[in-house]
Amino acid sequence: MENIFNNRIDAVRSLMRSKGWGAVVITGSDPHNSEYVAPRWKQIAWLTGFNGEGELVITLESAAVWTDSRYFIQAERELLNTGVMLQRKRVPKAITIGEWLNLQPFMGGETRIAIDGASHNSIDVEEIRLCTGAQIVDAADLLDEFWNDRPIVPKSPIIMLGDEFTGESISNKIEWIRSYLTDNGVDAILISALDEIAWLLNIRGGDIDYNPVVISYLLISGNCADWYVKKGIYGKNDGETLDTFAELRSNGVNIGNYDDVALGVSCLAEENAVTRLMVDERSLNYHLLSLIKNSFDSGKLKLVK
């Protein structure tokens, strides 16, 4: 197994040389800042063999994984003989990714650090930028270049829970959100945390093992509610999903394609249907937030942490 992981990290380093990157930072999260992820986003496991939660930094000379005490023993075992160092988080004298990068001989004002912007939130990216002073390169889904059998974004069957289980209807929850937007002086909110979406829409799925969530985004404004989710054939339970979609539509929720969320937000901005947008920087990924910033003036974005 050692050669497999060494070869994969070597492939990243070849890409780094061709792009002029001094380092690559990859998280163990997904585009929604989930702690537990679907197979598509188990990037650290694919590169190193470490199956816990954490972050991976690769330079041309070294590599290290940052993880917390839940995974110390597991990481020591799974990273053995891979050449990847273990960096312990949340312990006395722990060193951050930015601090560690500053100790590397290649660091300087012109250093370019690539991050997988599709799985990094903007707060963590900004911490690295401020600590190192390096140029940040958004290389979203950079492993697609050589992870040939990378799993697709999951689209498990989706069910809807009745009001007797949730205690409140979808329409009531959406109206509560709209009142919240009015009280906070914004026109719309883009929700990307999967548990929040599951609660708001009273839906459940199986896109992540042992987590009843659906990979998706939810955009709510005063006039519409757009749910961006993977659509297609759902196998033997396809009927359940179609029934769920029909029920959502009857409650005023439009069903869009997961990959069209940035386009949907930008269209609302261009049409001036939404001039002030609220997003959560902790759950919204850096790549999508960067695209949204191209559609909105900085004064029109309300960033919550």
Side-chain angles (χ1 to χ4, degrees), residues 5 8 37 39 46 52 55 65-66 77 79 91 108-109 139 144 150 165 172 201 219 221 236 242 245 258 277 282:
F5 300 126
R8 290 171 179 174
V37 300
W46 187 80
E55 297 86 35
V65 163
W66 275 255
R77 182 177 65 250
L79 295 175
V91 297
D144 281 356
R150 185 175 185 178
F165 299 109
N172 284 348
L201 296 183
L219 178 63
S221 67
K236 62 182 180 181
L242 295 179
F245 286 172
Y258 180 77
L277 176 70
R282 278 291 175 192

Side-chain angles (χ1 to χ4, degrees), residues 110-301:
E110 299 301 316
T111 301
R112 303 173 74 221
I113 297 175
I115 56 101
D116 177 9
S119 299
H120 245 112
N121 68 57
S122 62
I123 293 176
D124 291 342
V125 173
E126 189 62 17
E127 287 178 357
I128 294 173
R129 188 202 314 271
L130 290 175
C131 186
T132 63
Q135 300 177 34
I136 300 297
V137 178
D138 179 9
D141 290 319
L142 64 95
L143 294 189
D144 281 356
E145 186 160 332
F146 31 80
W147 190 353
N148 296 325
D149 58 348
R150 185 175 185 178
I152 62 172
V153 177
K155 47 183 180 180
S156 64
I158 306 169
I159 64 170
M160 173 165 287
L161 300 180
D163 295 355
E164 67 273 22
F165 299 109
T166 64
E168 193 166 2
S169 68
I170 303 167
S171 56
N172 284 348
K173 290 179 179 179
I174 290 176
E175 286 308 310
W176 176 81
I177 290 292
R178 286 174 173 148
S179 296
Y180 174 81
L181 296 178
T182 300
D183 291 343
N184 282 273
V186 293
D187 302 307
I189 184 171
L190 178 62
I191 302 170
S192 50
L194 303 183
D195 54 347
E196 294 175 0
I197 295 172
W199 181 83
L200 275 166
L201 296 183
N202 292 343
I203 53 95
R204 298 294 186 269
D207 286 353
I208 300 175
D209 289 344
Y210 314 112
N211 289 259
V213 296
V214 180
I215 304 292
S216 57
Y217 297 96
L218 179 61
L219 178 63
I220 298 177
S221 67
N223 299 319
C224 64
D226 298 325
W227 189 34
Y228 294 92
V229 60
K230 277 291 180 184
K231 297 186 291 185
I233 302 301
Y234 288 80
K236 62 182 180 181
N237 293 317
D238 187 49
E240 273 186 319
T241 299
L242 295 179
D243 289 344
T244 297
F245 286 172
E247 182 68 19
L248 287 169
R249 290 188 180 103
S250 72
N251 281 274
V253 179
N254 305 311
I255 311 297
N257 192 288
Y258 180 77
D259 297 322
D260 292 338
V261 59
L263 178 62
V265 173
S266 64
C267 285
L268 287 177
E270 290 171 4
E271 296 165 0
N272 289 320
V274 170
T275 59
R276 295 162 297 174
L277 176 70
M278 177 182 287
V279 297
D280 183 349
E281 286 189 280
R282 278 291 175 192
S283 59
L284 187 64
N285 66 76
Y286 178 83
H287 179 70
L288 181 52
L289 181 56
S290 298
L291 295 177
I292 291 172
K293 284 181 175 178
N294 290 332
S295 300
F296 288 85
D297 295 333
S298 58
K300 301 298 185 180
L301 275 177

Side-chain angles (χ1 to χ4, degrees), residues 68-80:
D68 61 43
S69 58
R70 294 173 296 169
Y71 301 103
F72 288 168
I73 295 174
Q74 176 185 345
E76 287 175 346
R77 182 177 65 250
E78 294 178 342
L79 295 175
L80 187 65

